[in-house]
Amino acid sequence: MVRPFATATVILAATNLAGPVAAHHGWSSYDAATVLTVEAPIETASYAYPHGEITIVSEGKTWRCVLAPPSRMDRRGLAQEMLATGTVVTVVGYPSRVDESEMRVERITVDGQTIELR
């Protein structure tokens, strides 16, 4: 016999854990109809999970660029060392509908090498 309280507790715990995962993988907050291309030197870089990230400044605007997970970047040839501060990159991606300073990067060009991130 299963206790109703125990069952309810398990269901509640499962739904609380599933929420952040679903929210994290939803890309609907980015405007895929608007493609941005920005070239600028890297100000800051993070090669951490769940997604790498760089910050660049172009024409007075600071962009927080969401990259792929580090394992995918490694597999595709974008090593952590390539994202050094001061390195000029070209990013192509979609602007966030929520945060006007954020973009989801589809591809990045570093030192003449273009890497597809998605």
Side-chain angles (χ1 to χ4, degrees):
M1 177 173 156
V2 178
R3 295 182 184 182
F5 179 75
T7 303
T9 302
V10 170
I11 291 170
L12 182 61
T15 57
N16 282 338
L17 292 174
V21 172
H24 168 75
H25 287 283
W27 293 115
S28 64
S29 65
Y30 295 91
D31 180 4
T34 304
V35 179
L36 300 173
T37 302
V38 181
E39 180 179 35
I42 296 173
E43 298 281 320
T44 65
S46 170
Y47 208 82
Y49 286 95
H51 297 281
E53 195 173 288
I54 60 172
T55 303
I56 59 176
V57 177
S58 176
E59 298 179 6
K61 180 167 183 161
T62 301
W63 287 100
R64 187 168 71 86
C65 303
V66 179
L67 306 174
S71 57
R72 183 180 309 152
M73 291 190 290
D74 278 338
R75 282 193 313 271
R76 302 223 173 138
L78 182 60
Q80 183 173 1
E81 300 77 37
M82 296 172 75
L83 299 178
T85 301
T87 302
V88 176
V89 297
T90 301
V91 293
V92 178
Y94 308 124
S96 171
R97 298 177 198 270
V98 178
D99 180 351
E100 66 181 32
S101 66
E102 179 179 297
M103 80 164 65
R104 171 188 164 201
V105 177
E106 290 292 310
R107 74 190 53 83
I108 185 169
T109 302
V110 183
D111 295 328
Q113 180 181 356
T114 300
I115 297 115
E116 297 292 328
L117 299 177
R118 301 289 166 220

